[in-house]
Amino acid sequence: VTYRGHVGSSTQLAQDAAKHSTAAADMAFVASAMCNNAEVFYDEAAAQWGSLGDATEVALAIAAQKAGVRKADVAGPLELLAENAFDSDRKRMSVVFAAGDGAAAAGKRCVVTFAKGAPEEILSVCTHQLAGAGGFLRQGHAAETAADAARSLERDAVPLTPALTQAAGAACEQMAARGLRVLGMAAKVSYLDADAPTTAEALGLAWAESQLVFAGLVGLIDPPRTGIVESVQRCHDAGIKVIMITGDHIGTASAIAASIGIVRADRASTQRAISGAELDLLSDEATALLDPFPSVFARVSPENKIKIVRALQQGGHIV
């Protein structure tokens, strides 16, 4: 299901979300809202919707709100314990919340973790997957969403088998081939001793981003800017090679590069794409000797970017 526009046009999405509701889909919406620092708001003075934050997070927040999940409502009974920001090395973000009183047995504390990131990186830290047929979101019960999510994580999680991992990977490839930016969503519920430390250090990367329950994939469209096709064509006409360097999945990057003319069916020299992981295996000299030199570099790290520039300069190119 594709959700477009701002929150004001939410009726159809809410109907679709209810119609296709599963535990995994509901958890993906909740993770989209909670593992998110963007704000979406209605500006009364301007009589229009506005937003603050990263464009990807804004899109996730809008989709979640249209499905009936607003971070402000859900977070009411929760306490944020830790946030592990996204970085280009692990390609993940995670947040850890403590549920309110009554969410756990005496002497225990209920802690819920949500994570998002590159699908392959999220899957690498998951041990289970949500498989419940029925969803848990209930309209008009936003304050209970976190508790409902915790119960679903306990009730509906099944071991993440190689077959399920392969199916998720295949679905990601299909979405990426359509030019979608794909993110993986995951969560987990933990019951800690009431006196256990809950500092940001104690709930850091090693704890928060392990033994997660995979919820699913979210695809976003990032439309090319107006005029980009014409700009790329002018560069080609002038003999300038245009190279795309991105953190996106290689399938997403290749599809978008083809749509704007960086990759062209009539020019074999433009049709090579490689990932940052492949680039890591090459020396600077081997990178410079790539023929044809790739037009698309995907899932790159800052170190990869430096290697690409060095390779081009070593080949006598002006970058």
Side-chain angles (χ1 to χ4, degrees), residues 49 181 202 230 275:
W49 287 92
R181 174 173 293 168
E230 292 77 12
S275 68

Side-chain angles (χ1 to χ4, degrees), residues 34 57 67 72 101 104 109 115 144 185 198 208 210 229 234 241 249-250 257 266 279 302 305 318:
M34 303 308 292
E57 291 201 329
D101 295 337
R109 194 176 193 189
E144 301 168 37
M185 299 292 170
T198 55
S210 64
V229 175
R234 284 198 293 270
K241 182 178 177 68
H249 185 281
I250 193 167
D266 61 339
L279 194 59
K305 294 178 183 179
I318 299 173

Side-chain angles (χ1 to χ4, degrees), residues 6 10 22 29 44 52 54 112 164 185 211 252 265 272 276 292:
H6 286 287
S10 61
T22 64
F29 280 126
E44 296 285 354
L52 291 173
D54 174 77
V112 185
L164 289 173
M185 299 292 170
Q211 297 182 312
T252 303
R272 190 171 193 174

Side-chain angles (χ1 to χ4, degrees), residues 234-281:
R234 284 198 293 270
C235 287
H236 282 311
D237 292 343
I240 300 171
K241 182 178 177 68
V242 181
I243 295 173
M244 175 187 286
I245 302 175
T246 177
D248 284 337
H249 185 281
I250 193 167
T252 303
S254 297
I256 293 174
S259 73
I260 62 177
I262 292 177
V263 172
R264 295 179 49 164
D266 61 339
R267 294 191 183 183
S269 62
T270 69
Q271 295 171 16
R272 190 171 193 174
I274 70 171
S275 68
E278 293 173 293
L279 194 59
D280 287 336
L281 301 176

Side-chain angles (χ1 to χ4, degrees), residues 162-238:
L164 289 173
T165 302
Q166 190 173 37
C172 178
E173 295 286 348
Q174 292 171 0
M175 295 169 72
R178 292 160 50 199
L180 295 176
R181 174 173 293 168
V182 188
L183 294 175
M185 299 292 170
K188 71 176 178 180
V189 61
S190 308
Y191 293 94
L192 308 179
D193 291 337
D195 58 356
T198 55
T199 62
E201 291 75 18
L203 303 176
L205 296 178
W207 185 89
E209 297 178 5
S210 64
Q211 297 182 312
L212 294 173
V213 180
F214 183 66
L217 304 170
V218 175
L220 305 96
I221 296 174
D222 188 5
R225 294 181 182 179
T226 302
I228 188 65
V229 175
E230 292 77 12
S231 297
V232 171
Q233 182 58 52
R234 284 198 293 270
C235 287
H236 282 311
D237 292 343

Side-chain angles (χ1 to χ4, degrees), residues 148 236 265 315 317:
D148 290 339
H236 282 311
H317 300 285

